[in-house]
Amino acid sequence: MQQFGRDAPLPDQMQGKWVDADDPTVELIISGGCITCFGEGVAYDYKEIHQVDGALTVSLKVNDPAVEDSFERANITGLIIMPDGDFHVYNVRFANRFIRPET
């Protein structure tokens, strides 16, 4: 597992604009190390990137243990691209599948 600061970009496979597979009005935009979802930026301190069995996973973290619980309920805490290309984002309350928007 590799740890990177907020300024480091997320993996190339995750970059760009995505829409929720069930509700295309919900957008996910990843630009470098910045993530915008549900119309709001995700404020995280660092990310851990690892690959397991072909799945590429990014875990978003905060440095302050006192705010960790509220962070995990209010923000995306994980992004994963499965070997078959499915892209999911999640936290402790939800998981959504995102796809590239049709042009």
Side-chain angles (χ1 to χ4, degrees), residues 45-91:
D45 294 323
Y46 66 96
K47 58 189 145 288
E48 296 173 345
I49 302 174
H50 45 96
Q51 193 157 4
V52 178
D53 297 329
L56 181 60
T57 302
V58 175
S59 298
L60 305 177
K61 307 285 186 175
V62 291
N63 291 323
D64 185 353
V67 299
E68 187 172 350
D69 186 59
S70 60
F71 170 78
E72 289 179 351
R73 293 178 183 283
N75 293 287
I76 292 170
T77 57
L79 305 94
I80 184 169
I81 292 187
M82 304 301 290
D84 64 3
D86 273 357
F87 185 33
H88 302 268
V89 301
Y90 56 90
N91 74 5

Side-chain angles (χ1 to χ4, degrees), residues 17-60:
K17 182 178 178 180
W18 300 81
V19 294
D20 186 289
D22 296 322
D23 182 357
T25 65
V26 176
E27 292 183 341
L28 168 70
I29 300 170
I30 299 174
S31 178
C34 296
I35 303 167
T36 304
C37 193
F38 306 112
E40 295 188 23
V42 179
Y44 66 97
D45 294 323
Y46 66 96
K47 58 189 145 288
E48 296 173 345
I49 302 174
H50 45 96
Q51 193 157 4
V52 178
D53 297 329
L56 181 60
T57 302
V58 175
S59 298
L60 305 177

Side-chain angles (χ1 to χ4, degrees), residues 5-16:
R6 181 182 170 90
D7 292 339
L10 276 80
D12 289 342
Q13 303 92 313
M14 296 180 179
Q15 295 291 321

